[in-house]
């Protein structure tokens, strides 16, 4: 059985009790270096570093399917995470998806932004359709190193739109930083981040 556990944005305090219990009982835990380093040292499970190739991950999961495998997912597994990849490859009866607090939810809570009517998207591995996105009054984007706050700000400036960017860096970690900026104030670089774009002059 594959238990895909959403661990939240990063701080161990934000992991759900359901996720923590599955981690405690796992035979094997798969995750990134940072995620595995937060597993308590007395947890007896085997630890497997997330392979860089997803084909390798798939082969590993198939080989170990009889065991209790916990696959750690950042935020919520089904919010632009590994959950969809797993649903496309494994039957539902081999999967348990445990929700987590997504980085977008966390940023909205920290900044007091209601998620009603929020359009949620990602720039991971794709060129977003900014004409479409910027027509929405409230958009949240998980970003990658190619399309992040600076590129979003540039698209807004090109269209002469009145928007505010809320940028959350390293959310829930000690290095967390929150910014509320006009597009012309956005810097060239931010650490791991989520952006909310609001219609505000
Ligand atoms: C592959 S997506 C996974 C999103 C995740 N499933 C979620 O619900 O938050 C990875 C992106 O999520 C965002 N992210 C995840 N954790 C974050 C954190 N602690 N601080 C800021 N952004 C974070 C970043 O945009 C990162 O590039």
């Amino acid at each position: 059985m594959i238990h895909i556990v959403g661990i939240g944005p990063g701080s161990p305090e934000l992991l759900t009790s359901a996720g923590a219990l599955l981690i405690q009982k796992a035979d094997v835990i798969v995750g990134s270096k940072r995620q595995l380093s937060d597993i308590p040292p007395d947890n007896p499970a085997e630890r497997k570093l997330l392979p860089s190739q997803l084909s390798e991950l798939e082969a590993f999961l198939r080989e170990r399917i009889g065991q209790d495998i916990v696959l750690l997912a950042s935020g919520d597994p089904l919010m632009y995470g590994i959950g969809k990849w797993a649903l496309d490859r494994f039957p539902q009866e081999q999967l348990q998806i445990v929700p987590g607090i997504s980085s977008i939810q966390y940023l909205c809570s920290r900044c007091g932004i209601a998620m009603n009517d929020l359009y949620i998207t990602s720039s991971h591995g794709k060129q977003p359709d900014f004409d479409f996105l910027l027509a929405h009054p409230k958009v949240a984007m998980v970003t990658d190193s190619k399309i992040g706050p600076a590129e979003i700000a540039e698209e807004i400036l090109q269209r002469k739109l009145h928007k505010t960017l809320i940028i959350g860096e390293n959310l829930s970690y000690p290095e967390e930083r929150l910014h509320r900026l006009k597009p012309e104030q956005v810097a060239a670089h931010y650490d791991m981040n989520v952006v909310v774009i609001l219609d505000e002059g």
Side-chain angles (χ1 to χ4, degrees):
M1 181 83 171
I2 306 163
H3 310 276
I4 306 188
V5 173
I7 62 164
S11 164
E13 285 176 10
L14 297 172
L15 173 68
T16 65
S17 311
L21 199 62
L22 285 163
I23 290 170
Q24 249 174 41
K25 295 192 307 190
D27 295 313
V28 51
I29 303 171
V30 186
S32 68
K33 199 170 163 194
R34 189 167 193 173
Q35 290 168 342
L36 291 178
S37 72
D38 283 332
I39 301 297
D42 59 350
N43 184 310
E46 176 188 341
R47 287 146 206 244
K48 163 90 178 159
L49 192 62
L50 189 70
S52 57
Q53 299 297 320
L54 287 174
S55 54
E56 198 187 316
L57 174 64
E58 184 173 349
F60 180 82
L61 296 174
R62 289 196 188 287
E63 192 184 301
R64 302 295 194 91
I65 201 74
Q67 294 185 298
D68 276 318
I69 311 165
V70 164
L71 175 56
L72 301 174
S74 75
D76 182 87
L78 291 176
M79 184 79 83
Y80 292 102
I82 197 86
K84 180 177 182 329
W85 173 87
L87 283 172
D88 290 344
R89 280 157 189 85
F90 294 90
Q92 284 255 15
E93 55 274 17
Q94 289 180 345
L95 286 179
Q96 178 190 16
I97 299 189
V98 181
I101 299 171
S102 84
S103 52
I104 289 176
Q105 266 179 295
Y106 178 89
L107 177 61
C108 287
S109 298
R110 292 283 285 125
C111 297
I113 301 166
M115 292 178 67
N116 304 5
D117 301 323
L118 177 67
Y119 186 88
I120 295 175
T121 189
S122 160
S123 66
H124 273 256
K126 64 177 181 200
Q127 173 61 40
D129 178 347
F130 279 104
D131 285 329
F132 172 79
L133 290 179
L134 296 175
H136 293 72
K138 202 173 2 171
V139 175
M141 188 186 280
V142 290
T143 63
D144 70 1
S145 55
K146 291 206 181 104
I147 309 269
E151 291 72 21
I152 297 169
E154 181 54 35
E155 298 284 344
I156 296 169
L157 288 170
Q158 275 175 21
R159 290 167 178 78
K160 299 185 172 35
L161 297 171
H162 297 290
K163 303 266 185 188
T164 297
L165 288 89
I166 317 291
I167 304 165
E169 279 182 288
N170 297 315
L171 294 168
S172 83
Y173 289 107
E175 323 84 76
E176 173 178 297
R177 279 188 296 167
L178 304 172
H179 314 265
R180 188 181 192 102
L181 302 171
K182 296 283 161 220
E184 54 276 17
Q185 298 172 316
V186 171
H189 175 78
Y190 293 89
D191 288 347
M192 174 170 66
N193 65 82
V194 175
V195 182
V196 173
I197 310 157
L198 297 177
D199 252 1
E200 277 179 10

